Every structure is written in C-alpha cells, then in structure tokens.
Amino acid sequence: MSLLEMEVERQSNPVDMIEFVAANNDWSFERSGEDEIAMTVEGKWADYHVSFSWMEEFEALHLACAFDIKVPESRVNEVIRLLSHINGQVLMGHFDLWRQEEVIIFRQSLLLAGGAEPTNQQVEVLLSNALDACESYFQAFQFVVWSGMDAQRAVDTVLFETVGEA
C-alpha cells in the first residue's frame, strides 16, 4: 500500500474552522457548500474577495483572494511579466492571472495531510498573509493595467521605501 492511499478519518471539515474564525471576527461570510466559504474583506486599496475551499483529495485548504482589476488582452503579456517579478519575491503563496475572468488572484494552500486540523491561528495567518501580499502589490497591478507601466518599473515603484523623516 502506498503512503498516499492511506485513509484518514477527519474529526471535522476544515472549512468549519474558517466559519468559526469569521464569526468570531464579525466578518460577513457565505457558506456556499460544505467545502467552500467566501467573504469580502476591506483593504486599504480595494475590497478583496476571499474564498476558502477544502480539497479532500489533496488534504489541503485552498485560499483564493481576488480583486477587481480586469486585465485587458492588450496588457496580458506585461501582467504575466509582473506576476513573474512579484512571485519571485513572495515567500508563501503566489499571484496568478485567472484567465476565465481576466482578474488577478492570490492563491495559497494549507496542507493538512494525515488528518491534521487547522487552528484558528493558522487560518488567521493564512488570511493575513494573503491580504498583506495583495495590499503590497495591488498598486503595481494598477500601474501595469491602467497606466501602461512596464512590470519592472511598477514593482520598483511600489517597493520604494522612504528612509528618515521630512
């Protein structure tokens, strides 16, 4: 028997923990199915549409965080270059272009192999990491999509740090 063929009985659905954390933080959410939950979280630059999905076959809790920047066909190649620049700097998770809707999404998974259950702290860190990444790079996507800026300049612009006080 392969290690991957072992059946593990789970105590609860990991999406239940997401619902618990959302309720404790007074976040509005919609449980669209047993294995899915969605919410909208307000950020500094945009409202982020966050969905969590339990993927039983991989024993992973998948997070997808999208924001409303439609990528026109004329900017797709530069957005792909931007994704490459950004993903090289992101430690956990990654950005992707969801071609079906032509929007940018941030994706990350929490592996829960062997029957591991997520903690509320893990869920909060997963969500916090996604929102921090989206907030950090949102403007770079705006610059490339709406201002016609090239990917390298957009990344350099948003990562510019001010030192000292004026």
Side-chain angles (χ1 to χ4, degrees), residues 8 10 29 31-32 40 42 67-68 93 104 106 137 145 148 162:
V8 175
R10 220 163 254 296
F29 61 88
R31 186 89 181 246
S32 53
T40 300
E42 185 178 331
F67 43 87
D68 289 327
I104 309 296
F106 179 84
Y137 295 104
V145 172
T162 307

Side-chain angles (χ1 to χ4, degrees), residues 25-72:
N25 286 288
D26 292 322
W27 299 332
S28 60
F29 61 88
E30 180 181 332
R31 186 89 181 246
S32 53
E34 182 180 328
D35 294 334
E36 294 183 24
I37 190 169
M39 61 189 79
T40 300
V41 179
E42 185 178 331
K44 179 179 173 183
W45 301 112
D47 288 341
Y48 300 102
H49 311 289
V50 181
S51 66
F52 289 89
S53 302
W54 172 239
M55 303 173 82
E56 182 73 40
E57 64 275 15
F58 301 110
E59 293 187 275
L61 186 61
H62 179 261
L63 172 145
C65 182
F67 43 87
D68 289 327
I69 294 182
K70 297 280 186 196
V71 180

Side-chain angles (χ1 to χ4, degrees), residues 125-143:
V125 168
L126 186 66
L127 180 57
S128 176
N129 178 62
L131 295 175
D132 287 349
C134 289
E135 288 283 287
S136 295
Y137 295 104
F138 180 82
Q139 289 183 303
F141 289 108
Q142 280 185 315
F143 290 150

